[in-house]
Amino acid sequence: MALIQMSFKSKALLMQTSVNIILPMGTNRIDFEGTNDFTYEHKKFPVLYLLHGATDDHSCWLRLSSIERYAEDKGIAVVMPNADMSAYSDMVHGHKYWTYISEELPQFLQAAFPISDKREDTFVAGLSMGGYGAFKLALRHPDRFAAAASLSGALDLVGSLRKGESSLFDNVFGDPEKVDNSQNDILFLTKQLAESNGVKPQLFQACGTEDFLYEDNVKYKNYANELGVDLTYEEGPGGHEWSYWDTNIQRVLDWLPIESNKVVSVE
């Protein structure tokens, strides 16, 4: 695997930002024909956008899990952007992280790196705030994402805001009542998806039974099941902690609809 640690000036954010990228290498054929003569096949890789949680940043998946090793076994590229405390949203008082993550970053990376732009090769996952962001991306753009996974996700954000449990996001949303039935409300977006006639992403949800977000995750699971949404749900012992997420990101990679060591030919 190749690890690319990159900083660049985002037009959406109007500032420098950082992103970590893991690119497979072993899945490409490398022919050695004499001294200093290497040939690489021109291929594009399926990609997983992997989102961090609140209080974390783009480095945490690399530092606190073995995602690089797991991704290598699957032949998949992994993109880990920084989104600060934005809830992957265009903030009322702050930066336009939704525009950056959903629009600018994929376009930039697809132009700069061998990453597929096909829906069937594009996935998103995240933990906690990142689980919320992952589902929001897939539910708002089902035409772009084939699958999304939430680990310990903050999936009932409206309920948390109403109970005053998510004051960290005051600068993101402003009036919490404006989140209800909006494009930032995961329950509302799920209902929209269920009622649509278009393509629908596969959804994976997992949460530890000792996690403080467990009840919110059960609520979402029951709601999605009532709507008939294609949702794979798993739970088991575990809290809001990296030992749980490191284990379950492996489950996510096994669940994703990709072939092992798949590469996508450039047309």
Side-chain angles (χ1 to χ4, degrees):
M1 300 290 281
L3 170 62
I4 301 164
Q5 298 173 302
M6 182 177 66
S7 296
F8 70 102
K9 188 170 185 177
S10 162
K11 294 180 180 179
L13 300 177
L14 300 175
M15 67 177 185
Q16 294 286 333
T17 190
S18 297
V19 57
N20 286 332
I21 305 160
I22 298 171
L23 283 176
M25 294 184 68
T27 53
N28 274 351
R29 178 176 57 84
I30 304 175
D31 294 329
F32 180 66
E33 301 172 351
T35 304
N36 299 326
D37 186 4
F38 295 89
T39 302
Y40 289 79
E41 285 185 318
H42 191 198
K43 297 286 187 178
K44 289 193 174 183
F45 296 100
V47 59
L48 172 66
Y49 290 87
L50 188 56
L51 310 182
H52 66 76
T55 76
D56 284 346
D57 66 9
H58 63 290
S59 72
C60 287
W61 273 107
L62 278 175
R63 292 189 293 114
L64 300 172
S65 80
S66 295
I67 184 61
E68 183 174 0
R69 179 161 52 87
Y70 306 148
E72 183 173 24
D73 292 339
K74 298 298 182 181
I76 188 171
V78 181
V79 174
M80 294 159 281
N82 184 56
D84 293 327
M85 291 290 295
S86 69
Y88 299 90
S89 305
D90 284 349
M91 303 171 68
V92 172
H93 304 293
H95 299 287
K96 294 183 177 181
Y97 277 102
W98 170 257
T99 300
Y100 165 64
I101 297 290
S102 67
E103 302 289 343
E104 182 183 13
L105 183 63
Q107 292 178 25
F108 174 73
L109 294 179
Q110 289 162 11
F113 298 102
I115 291 174
S116 176
D117 60 358
K118 296 180 179 179
R119 176 185 183 271
E120 61 266 28
D121 302 317
T122 305
F123 317 106
V124 60
L127 66 88
S128 194
M129 181 185 79
Y132 164 85
F135 270 19
K136 183 161 69 171
L137 278 164
L139 294 171
R140 288 179 63 171
H141 292 296
D143 57 321
R144 300 186 198 171
F145 294 93
S150 167
L151 302 179
S152 310
L155 301 181
D156 184 23
L157 191 59
V158 171
S160 296
L161 290 170
R162 283 177 170 166
K163 290 183 288 186
E165 297 174 349
S166 298
S167 59
L168 290 173
F169 300 128
D170 287 349
N171 287 329
V172 177
F173 302 114
D175 183 356
E177 293 301 320
K178 293 183 178 180
V179 181
D180 191 19
N181 291 324
S182 76
Q183 293 299 299
N184 289 314
D185 181 351
I186 297 300
L187 296 178
F188 174 73
L189 293 174
T190 303
K191 186 173 186 292
Q192 275 194 327
L193 179 79
E195 294 173 348
S196 75
N197 294 321
V199 294
K200 297 177 173 63
Q202 299 177 45
L203 301 177
F204 179 97
Q205 180 191 4
C207 189
T209 51
E210 288 71 49
D211 196 304
F212 73 93
L213 290 174
Y214 174 69
E215 295 300 328
D216 288 354
N217 274 263
V218 171
K219 176 181 178 179
Y220 179 82
K221 182 256 296 186
N222 292 338
Y223 184 70
N225 287 342
E226 290 174 5
L227 293 173
V229 172
D230 181 9
L231 173 70
T232 299
Y233 176 82
E234 296 184 1
E235 65 175 55
H240 210 73
E241 57 198 4
W242 276 100
S243 59
Y244 181 83
W245 300 322
D246 181 62
T247 297
N248 282 275
I249 194 61
Q250 298 174 69
R251 292 285 303 118
V252 170
L253 290 170
D254 288 340
W255 168 83
L256 287 177
I258 56 173
E259 299 173 11
S260 181
N261 295 329
K262 178 182 178 182
V263 287
V264 183
S265 297
V266 176
E267 297 178 353

